[in-house]
Amino acid sequence: NKRCGVFAPKSPFRPNPIGLSCVKLTGIKKHPEKGMIPPGQFIPILENSGQIVQLDEFVFEQVCALLKRWQEDGIAPLPISVNLSRHHFKNRNFLGRLRSIAEHYGVDPGWIELEITESIFFDESSIERVKTIVHQIHQSGFTCSLDDFGSGYSSLGLLKEFEIDAIKLDRIFFPATLDPRSQVVIEGIVALAKNLKLTIVAEGVESGEQADFLRRIGCDLIQGYYYSPPLMPTAFAELRCKQNQEFES
């Protein structure tokens, strides 16, 4: 199998010169017979085996190489999000490895956002450990977000514990039809995040109704098929070029 990365563009509601303000790069596998294998099919296997660490580092290095290429080609950079598995937190020196890769490519770590999920919390004692690592992430120049927010029972408690920069609302909040109760919950979370000065990203947005609602309540970014499906690097480059041309015209 061959490893590669796909881009999941995030679109802002406010005007933006290129129509997107940031992007997430996710690892996928390419099977010689079955073609592209989506992350949901192989990531749980890699998580269980611990091999997810190698995939995360592969994706991180691809991000650094891309940022360097944009820099050399005179293309404006975009912030790029990268997942961090819970297995990284078992290694006290994993941030040093990421810093070394960024330094090797000569890229500003401020353009890279490290995404953590609730799965990193093994027990109560791990909370202090993760708080320390989030602080070290910021000291290293990276930003940090909480992915899949709302998928676990402890999400609200985590907001008061960690100095994260953004939350990514899990797709479970966005059924095909948004009922009144769902809207109240989402609006409350967005208001809370705003008061904490966090950027809010809505994941899995697939309809105009969802996008219009999120715009009204002040969500910052949307990610999902309504805006764009995951894109291979060539297709993502074409999207950037097209939107730059539209802005210039």
Side-chain angles (χ1 to χ4, degrees):
N1 293 353
K2 181 180 179 182
R3 294 179 297 182
C4 55
V6 293
F7 292 91
K10 303 175 188 177
S11 173
F13 289 115
R14 58 188 180 279
N16 185 278
I18 55 175
L20 14 114
S21 78
C22 50
V23 64
K24 178 174 180 176
L25 187 63
T26 302
I28 63 172
K29 283 183 174 288
K30 185 175 182 180
H31 191 276
E33 298 176 357
K34 298 179 181 178
M36 295 299 177
I37 303 174
Q41 291 186 22
F42 67 84
I43 283 183
I45 298 172
L46 296 182
E47 281 278 5
N48 290 334
S49 68
Q51 293 178 311
I52 190 69
V53 170
Q54 285 81 8
L55 178 63
D56 285 351
E57 289 190 359
F58 165 79
V59 172
F60 183 88
E61 187 156 5
Q62 294 299 299
V63 164
C64 292
L66 177 63
L67 287 169
K68 180 180 181 180
R69 188 157 63 248
W70 283 346
Q71 180 178 301
E72 292 174 342
D73 294 343
I75 299 173
L78 289 175
I80 304 181
S81 303
V82 182
N83 284 108
L84 279 187
S85 163
R86 59 188 174 86
H87 288 282
H88 288 282
F89 289 78
K90 298 175 182 178
N91 177 2
R92 294 185 177 275
N93 298 317
F94 83 91
L95 267 177
R97 167 69 176 155
L98 299 185
R99 284 196 303 267
S100 295
I101 294 173
E103 290 170 1
H104 172 75
Y105 284 92
V107 300
D108 181 352
W111 291 108
I112 302 174
E113 178 184 77
L114 302 180
E115 291 189 353
I116 61 176
T117 69
E118 291 180 9
S119 65
I120 63 175
F121 303 100
F122 310 102
D123 50 44
E124 288 295 323
S125 64
S126 68
I127 291 181
E128 290 301 319
R129 165 96 177 113
V130 176
K131 285 172 69 173
T132 299
I133 291 176
V134 170
H135 179 68
Q136 292 172 346
I137 286 174
H138 287 126
Q139 283 188 318
S140 299
F142 304 109
T143 58
C144 183
S145 66
L146 186 60
D147 195 10
D148 299 332
F149 182 83
S151 62
Y153 70 91
S154 58
S155 291
L156 289 176
L158 298 181
L159 287 184
K160 72 179 180 64
E161 295 288 349
F162 304 109
E163 297 180 2
I164 53 175
D165 303 290
I167 60 170
K168 186 174 176 183
L169 298 179
D170 190 80
R171 63 181 64 248
I172 63 171
F173 286 112
F174 305 106
T177 302
L178 282 173
D179 59 83
R181 290 180 66 87
S182 296
Q183 292 184 23
V184 169
V185 171
I186 296 168
E187 188 168 2
I189 293 173
V190 169
L192 176 61
K194 287 287 186 184
N195 285 332
L196 292 172
K197 311 299 185 208
L198 302 177
T199 298
I200 307 106
V201 184
E203 179 185 32
V205 178
E206 298 185 357
S207 72
E209 177 194 9
Q210 294 169 340
D212 290 342
F213 168 70
L214 289 164
R215 180 185 295 108
R216 288 198 306 271
I217 65 173
C219 182
D220 298 301
L221 300 163
I222 60 171
Q223 179 181 322
Y225 278 81
Y226 175 73
Y227 176 61
S228 171
L231 301 172
M232 296 298 290
T234 301
F236 178 73
E238 291 174 354
L239 175 64
R240 288 202 71 183
C241 181
K242 176 183 176 182
Q243 294 189 335
N244 275 327
Q245 292 172 350
E246 290 175 351
F247 175 74
E248 291 171 356
S249 62

